[in-house]
Amino acid sequence: MLDARQAQQAARRAVLRASDEKKKADLAKKLTAADEALAQAEAEAAKPPTADFARRKIPSYPATSSGRRLALARWIADAQNPLTARVAVNHVWMRHFGRALVPTAFDFGTQGQRPSHPALLDWLALELVEHGWSLKALHRLIVTSATYRMDSTPDPAALAVDPEDKVLWRVAPRRLEAEAVRDAVLYVTGRLDPARGGPELDEGRGLDARRRSLYFRHNPEKRVEFLAIFDGPSASECYARTHTIVPQQALALLNSALALDGAAALAGALSKEAPDACAFITAAVETVLSRPPTPEEREACSAFLAAGDPARARATLVHALLNHHEFVTIR
C-alpha cells in the first residue's frame, strides 16, 4: 500500500507541474490509474489477515550450489590463513587470564594494539591448527602451563620491575563473571539445578530460579538485574566484558533473597553434619571459601556464634562468608 500511495502522490505532483494541456491530459489518466491502484491496495489491507499469500516472482534456486560459501569457509579455516587461529587463541587466553595477548580483541588490524607476546600468540595458534582446531586441547594446554599456575601473591622485587605484570610473572586476581557469581551462590548452598537444556528462563526470575544463569533470556531490553550489576555480557557486542567495582555489587550479595535464603539453607545443612560450633565454623569456611579458617577467623567466628541465637547466628555467619571477597575472586 505504501508503494501505491507514493505512486499516486508522484502522479498528482506531475499533473500540477505540467504546462502543456495534452501532456496534462495524459498525466491525468495516469493519476486516475494510480487512484484506482491505491483504492484497491487500501481495500486489500482492510481485509482480515489470512495464511494465503502471493509468492514473489523470483527464479527457482539451482539444483547445485555455487560453492562460494564453502570456499569462504575453507578460506577462513585454512592453515595458511593465520588470522582465524590467532583470534580464537586470543579470546581463549583472555577468558583464562582476564586480559588478552592482543588488548584490542575486537581489532586485529592496523588500528589495533600489538600483541604483548607475539611469539606466544603465533605458537598457540599453530598448536590449535595442528591439533585439528580442538579447543579442548587448547584449554588443556593453557591451564596446565606453568604460567597459568603462577601464584597470585605479589612479590615486592617483581612489582618494582614489572608492576603491570607484562611478562606474566604472576596471575592477577580478578572477580568471577556475573553468571559464575550467581551460580556459585546456588552451588555452595546446595540449591543449584544442574539439569541441561530446556526453554529459556524469564529475566524476572533471577533471584528465585535455581537453573544455571546460562539459561536466562538475555537481550538489551530484558536482562537479569543481578547479572547486570556484576557486569553481565553486553547483548550488543561480545568481544570482551567490562569490569567495574560499584557499591551495588556488595549490596546485591548482602540484601538479595538469593544470598539470604541460600545462607539459611546452607547453615541448616551444615548444622546437622557439624553440631559443634568449632566444627561448624570449619565446615562453613571450607564450603564457601574452599580453605580452612585461619586462627584469627576461627576466634572471631566463635565469639560471634556465642553472642547470639545459635540458629540465626550460624545463618548470619554463612551469609557473611558469601559476602567475603574471596568468594567472588579468582586467585
Side-chain angles (χ1 to χ4, degrees):
M1 188 171 66
L2 178 62
D3 293 339
R5 182 176 289 109
Q6 291 176 342
Q8 186 236 27
Q9 292 173 352
R12 180 177 288 114
R13 288 194 298 269
V15 171
L16 296 175
R17 288 195 298 264
S19 57
D20 183 78
E21 292 298 328
K22 183 178 180 181
K23 186 176 182 180
K24 182 176 292 188
D26 294 336
L27 292 174
K29 294 179 181 179
K30 293 183 179 180
L31 176 59
T32 301
D35 291 336
E36 295 174 353
L38 177 59
Q40 183 178 359
E42 290 175 342
E44 292 292 334
K47 294 180 180 179
T50 66
D52 299 331
F53 67 97
R55 293 185 177 275
R56 296 178 60 187
K57 296 180 180 179
I58 58 174
S60 60
Y61 289 102
T64 58
S65 171
S66 65
R68 289 179 293 180
R69 287 177 295 179
L70 179 60
L72 175 61
R74 286 175 174 172
W75 175 82
I76 292 174
D78 194 293
Q80 301 302 315
N81 175 24
L83 181 60
T84 306
R86 294 172 82 241
V87 170
V89 164
N90 195 55
H91 277 275
V92 172
W93 183 278
M94 176 173 60
R95 280 149 182 80
H96 280 302
F97 287 88
R99 65 181 185 184
L101 292 171
V102 178
T104 52
F106 54 88
D107 189 352
F108 264 64
T110 57
Q111 300 299 317
Q113 299 181 29
R114 295 186 60 81
S116 58
H117 298 72
L120 174 61
L121 178 64
D122 291 341
W123 180 75
L124 288 173
L126 184 60
E127 287 288 309
L128 176 62
V129 175
E130 291 185 346
H131 285 81
W133 296 87
S134 172
L135 288 176
K136 182 180 290 187
L138 178 63
H139 285 296
R140 185 183 298 112
L141 176 63
I142 291 176
V143 300
T144 57
S145 66
T147 303
Y148 183 80
R149 292 180 291 170
M150 284 286 184
D151 192 355
S152 60
T153 304
D155 178 77
L159 277 174
V161 178
D162 182 21
E164 298 181 2
D165 190 29
K166 292 182 178 180
V167 298
L168 303 174
W169 58 271
R170 68 187 288 252
V171 173
R174 65 187 187 279
R175 199 194 64 232
L176 287 172
E177 293 181 333
E179 295 89 341
V181 172
R182 180 183 173 277
D183 292 357
V185 173
L186 291 172
Y187 178 77
V188 300
T189 57
R191 303 187 303 152
L192 181 67
D193 181 359
R196 296 184 179 183
E200 63 181 13
L201 300 177
D202 185 88
E203 69 281 357
R205 300 192 58 203
L207 298 181
D208 65 270
R210 299 188 180 185
R211 297 293 308 281
R212 293 172 59 196
S213 304
L214 172 70
Y215 297 107
F216 278 107
R217 183 185 299 125
H218 189 81
N219 57 51
E221 295 79 24
K222 299 177 180 180
R223 303 178 64 187
V224 178
E225 185 177 359
F226 185 90
L227 301 181
I229 291 174
F230 285 93
D231 306 318
S234 171
S236 58
E237 55 89 16
C238 58
Y239 301 108
R241 295 199 185 184
T242 58
H243 295 280
T244 61
I245 300 177
V246 294
Q248 291 87 338
Q249 293 166 356
L251 294 173
L253 285 175
L254 185 64
N255 299 321
S256 68
L258 184 72
L260 290 169
D261 295 345
L266 179 58
L270 293 179
S271 296
K272 295 178 181 179
E273 301 174 4
D276 178 70
C278 185
F280 176 84
I281 293 169
T282 301
V285 175
E286 289 181 347
T287 300
V288 178
L289 303 183
S290 301
R291 63 166 178 80
T294 64
E296 294 79 7
E297 290 172 337
R298 189 183 300 277
E299 182 180 352
C301 292
S302 298
F304 176 77
L305 293 181
D309 176 68
R312 184 174 182 180
R314 291 190 175 197
T316 304
L317 175 60
V318 173
H319 188 210
L321 292 174
L322 292 176
N323 283 266
H324 198 289
H325 71 92
E326 291 185 20
F327 179 67
V328 295
T329 303
I330 300 176
R331 298 184 63 86

